[in-house]
Amino acid sequence: MVSNNISGEYEAVIGLEVHVQIRTRSKMFTRVPTGFGEPPNTLVDPVVLGLPGALPVMNKAALDAIILTGLMFECDIAPVCKWDRKNYFYPDSPKNYQISQYDMPICANGRVEIELPGPSRNVMGPHRHVRLTRIHLEEDVGKLNHFANDSLVDLNRAGTPLVEIVTEPDMHTADEVFAFLTALRQAMVAAGISDCDMEKGQMRCDANISVRPVGQQTLGTKVELKNLNSISGVRNGVDYEIRRQIAALQRGETIVQETRRFDMEALISTPMRTKEEAHDYRYFPDPDLMPVRVDQAWLDRLRARVPELAFDKQRRFFEQYKLPYTITSVLVPDRALSDWFEAAVDGHVERAQAIANWIVNDLLRELAATGQTLADCRIQPSHIAGLVEAQESGVISSKIAREVFAEMFQTGESAAEVIERKGLRQTSDTAELEKWCAEAIAGKPQSVADFKAGNEKAINAFKGPVMKASRGKANPKLVDEILRRMLAEM
Amino acid sequence: MPETRQIDIDYVARLARLALTDEEKALFSRQLADVLHYVEKLNEVDVDGVEPSAHAFEVVNVWQDDVPARPLPTEAALQNAPAVRDNMFVVPKVVDEA
């Protein structure tokens, strides 16, 4: 954890502005396709280019997505919202304004549940909520590529639907910021709103950070930290900035209100050059776009699409399946995996823990080893319960079960099919087991004496040879019973 | 509402990226002040109980389904650009990072 050493005399206060690209097929105000990594300026049209006479038309799917976002985070959804122009000159925005929402955002208030680090990775940490100020919808801008003597503009990204999520100054450590972004990303991915891949710029984060002496009510001077382009970058950047400000205060310096850029390689922040009037955006209502009215029927349709949030699912998994924290913390963040688990456990709730163990340990290991995803792997969710059942009823030993699982993973067969085909059924033929047990006892007189003298563990000396003779198929429970009976009779 | 604010013509010109002569500054200051003064007549209207609106028409929810259409060919998009390199618009090196 990076935040442990922060001085107890000062506390940091952090608010975030998070931009998330909505995964629509076409752009926010025109039907040009969205995309990443396409050749420059191939995803453009007169609206994106800001050509005279071009008019914007809203993308219905983007509106659905932001209202869904608001519903997930318990926001108040405005019955009416409008669009405003944010005016500034910068070549990433060819019409010299960005269409955004100023004083009537579509979502207000709301909150996001987060989990802070626990005492260890195996123990659930404390939960709390980070309050949201607002969420609004806007259009993304183009991308600038800087060279020694000029800059090149690619407008493929311009016009991509973008939600801006603004939090209250509610966080105090880099760990809280990390937990917030993790929770936000999980929810957005689970709802299918965005993939939130920070490397592709689908989620971007600016942090407003100030520090103050503990106990002081008024906020310190805030610094805006930009260029936090990965989740670990956010954590390192916020942590660095808190330390920098505390160190400055301790030296008797004052914090200057400014925008700083975090350098992900050097792990330091440096002031950014900004122009004085850069922040006079002269917002005014966009006359090209009519307002949005959200009625109850629309809200109801979207409410039906709100996914179960990760922490709600985790609480349900504790309750319904009696799973331990360590298992839920693997299953729950990955919606595909938790869905797979629930399909596997359907009708077999009493075996939920054993089924979850196979998924979290063996299935994930095999997927990682073969570079497959759940979607393309051959093993069926319903087959896991069959494997657990075969093991519990003594048809196969736990050692053979692993072999069966590996085979099921490769072929997509059920456990029963693998056991039959490979002849792995455990031997419960008493006569045969007795013969192997008698041979094992005869071969180890010293162990017989040890066992008779009260050394319980000596019995294990006979089990190895029996398993070897049966090629792993001897029923261990029966073998134990037979050995004890034979030894008692000696 | 106070009397018409004095217009800082230098600031407005800078925001609009306009280089004005002293004569133009004097002329536009007066014209802009006249415009604001004219619009302020609206302050005399009693609008208590009227919901603010950005539009004169009761039209809402003008949208399209999320179905992609064909983009403009890149050559057409770039054809009026003063300078092009690697299929991108060339602009003066940007110093303002915000």
Side-chain angles (χ1 to χ4, degrees):
Chain A
M1 231 179 303
V2 282
S3 305
N4 281 344
N5 301 327
I6 284 168
S7 166
E9 299 164 56
Y10 291 94
E11 69 168 356
V13 178
I14 308 160
L16 299 180
E17 282 173 29
V18 185
H19 286 94
V20 177
Q21 278 185 353
I22 297 176
R23 195 183 60 194
T24 49
R25 297 168 66 207
S26 69
K27 294 192 177 184
M28 183 64 233
F29 295 111
T30 182
R31 301 292 76 76
V32 169
T34 54
F36 179 82
E38 299 295 322
N41 293 310
T42 52
L43 305 175
V44 297
D45 74 350
V47 174
V48 174
L49 293 164
L51 299 185
L55 287 171
V57 183
M58 287 188 286
N59 184 337
K60 170 71 159 45
L63 290 165
D64 284 342
I66 189 171
I67 296 172
L68 188 56
T69 305
L71 292 173
M72 282 199 297
F73 299 132
E74 304 170 58
C75 298
D76 302 323
I77 310 296
V80 178
C81 69
K82 67 173 171 65
W83 302 97
D84 300 286
R85 292 185 179 182
K86 178 181 180 178
N87 298 281
Y88 63 97
F89 288 98
Y90 201 63
D92 63 7
S93 184
K95 47 187 192 304
N96 296 333
Y97 59 85
Q98 179 189 24
I99 304 175
S100 182
Q101 297 186 299
Y102 182 53
D103 57 346
M104 292 173 73
I106 199 157
C107 308
N109 305 316
R111 56 184 199 157
V112 177
E113 183 178 6
I114 64 169
E115 179 183 347
L116 298 172
S120 84
R121 278 189 60 217
N122 302 333
V123 181
M124 185 160 76
H127 282 221
R128 56 169 293 236
H129 287 89
V130 172
R131 290 171 300 155
L132 300 180
T133 312
R134 58 184 281 166
I135 307 176
H136 72 253
L137 191 50
E138 58 190 30
E139 52 178 346
D140 208 343
V141 295
K143 195 161 169 24
L144 292 175
N145 302 282
H146 300 290
F147 294 90
N149 301 310
D150 53 22
S151 300
L152 301 185
V153 186
D154 172 13
L155 295 173
N156 280 351
R157 191 180 68 182
T160 302
L162 196 65
V163 290
E164 179 175 323
I165 299 160
V166 183
T167 77
E168 291 289 294
D170 242 5
M171 287 160 274
H172 304 284
T173 64
D175 281 334
E176 285 188 320
V177 170
F178 178 82
F180 174 80
L181 291 175
T182 303
L184 187 70
R185 179 160 71 174
Q186 276 172 10
M188 298 298 264
V189 171
I193 293 168
S194 175
D195 296 326
C196 291
D197 184 340
M198 289 187 90
E199 313 299 322
K200 290 183 182 168
Q202 293 165 347
M203 181 160 132
R204 313 196 282 270
C205 179
D206 299 336
N208 288 305
I209 303 170
S210 63
V211 298
R212 63 182 172 192
V214 170
Q216 180 180 305
Q217 288 303 302
T218 52
L219 293 171
T221 305
K222 80 174 176 192
V223 167
E224 184 177 11
L225 191 62
K226 285 184 176 281
N227 203 32
L228 303 170
N229 293 337
S230 71
I231 289 225
S232 64
V234 175
R235 192 183 237 184
N236 292 335
V238 170
D239 202 57
Y240 170 85
E241 183 57 25
I242 294 172
R243 288 167 193 277
R244 187 190 70 81
Q245 291 186 26
I246 290 174
L249 290 180
Q250 284 172 337
R251 285 194 302 268
E253 297 167 16
T254 49
I255 305 296
V256 185
Q257 178 155 0
E258 61 183 350
T259 301
R260 296 176 73 90
R261 167 192 293 275
F262 184 64
D263 183 326
M264 308 257 278
E265 263 116 58
L267 298 178
I268 55 164
S269 70
T270 48
M272 288 169 72
R273 282 179 291 175
T274 55
K275 287 190 180 138
E276 286 299 309
E277 53 278 17
H279 296 296
D280 188 348
Y281 293 126
R282 293 150 292 144
Y283 286 95
F284 66 88
D286 192 318
D288 291 340
L289 288 160
M290 301 311 283
V292 178
R293 191 178 297 271
V294 184
D295 64 14
Q296 196 57 44
W298 189 6
L299 277 184
D300 290 343
R301 278 198 302 280
L302 289 173
R303 206 164 260 128
R305 278 173 52 190
V306 173
E308 183 179 31
L309 292 186
F311 294 124
D312 293 329
K313 182 176 286 185
Q314 186 170 41
R315 283 184 280 268
R316 182 167 63 78
F317 279 16
F318 290 150
E319 180 73 21
Q320 192 173 345
Y321 305 121
K322 315 286 181 232
L323 295 183
Y325 173 74
T326 45
I327 297 280
T328 61
S329 58
V330 178
L331 289 179
V332 163
D334 183 339
R335 187 180 176 184
L337 189 65
S338 56
D339 285 351
W340 208 92
F341 162 75
E342 294 216 85
V345 89
D346 187 29
H348 307 277
V349 177
E350 70 290 346
R351 296 197 169 96
Q353 287 192 46
I355 290 170
N357 278 328
W358 278 107
I359 293 171
V360 166
N361 299 321
D362 302 74
L363 179 60
L364 287 186
R365 188 193 55 236
E366 292 297 322
L367 287 175
T370 55
Q372 294 181 72
T373 65
L374 270 182
D376 46 46
C377 88
R378 307 187 68 175
I379 193 164
Q380 299 301 305
S382 58
H383 290 169
I384 302 289
L387 178 64
V388 172
E389 206 173 332
Q391 194 186 333
E392 283 180 359
S393 63
V395 173
I396 51 172
S397 66
S398 58
K399 186 160 167 277
I400 296 289
R402 286 216 175 76
E403 197 182 322
V404 173
F405 178 85
E407 199 68 19
M408 289 164 69
F409 184 82
Q410 272 186 16
T411 65
E413 290 169 286
S414 72
E417 283 166 342
V418 173
I419 292 165
E420 270 325 300
R421 180 167 61 77
K422 300 197 79 180
L424 296 173
R425 183 172 289 277
Q426 219 162 225
T427 300
S428 301
D429 177 336
T430 316
E432 203 167 13
L433 291 178
E434 281 175 347
K435 183 172 138 266
W436 288 327
C437 287
E439 284 167 10
I441 289 171
K444 296 195 180 263
Q446 184 55 49
S447 298
V448 175
D450 291 347
F451 185 79
K452 288 275 183 196
N455 181 355
E456 265 289 312
K457 283 184 183 157
I459 196 169
N460 294 329
F462 311 117
K463 289 179 181 173
V466 173
M467 281 299 165
K468 200 172 169 199
S470 72
R471 297 207 316 269
K473 290 190 285 180
N475 181 330
K477 204 158 149 266
L478 273 180
V479 169
D480 186 75
E481 279 170 23
I482 293 167
L483 284 172
R484 283 178 193 282
R485 193 185 71 228
M486 286 182 160
L487 288 164
E489 285 165 358
M490 283 176 81
Chain B
M1 189 90 181
E3 284 297 293
T4 304
R5 283 164 299 164
Q6 193 59 43
I7 295 197
D8 182 345
I9 194 70
D10 291 320
Y11 181 64
V12 173
R14 207 157 56 235
L15 284 174
R17 300 291 192 276
L18 293 175
L20 302 180
T21 64
D22 287 344
E23 292 74 35
E24 285 169 329
K25 283 180 192 170
L27 176 67
F28 294 144
S29 290
R30 199 171 62 243
Q31 289 181 341
L32 285 172
D34 286 348
V35 170
L36 284 187
H37 183 70
Y38 180 70
V39 171
E40 275 175 5
K41 280 190 178 180
L42 289 172
N43 289 334
E44 294 161 21
V45 182
D46 179 7
V47 291
D48 280 357
V50 178
E51 196 184 319
S53 169
H55 294 274
F57 302 103
E58 272 293 310
V59 178
V60 295
N61 299 357
V62 181
W63 56 47
Q64 289 174 334
D65 287 334
D66 183 27
V67 180
R70 283 161 63 94
L72 198 64
T74 305
E75 313 78 71
L78 296 170
Q79 72 178 7
N80 291 333
V84 170
R85 193 165 78 236
D86 300 336
N87 280 338
M88 288 184 271
F89 299 91
V90 180
V91 296
K93 187 168 170 60
V94 183
V95 291
D96 184 355
E97 299 172 289

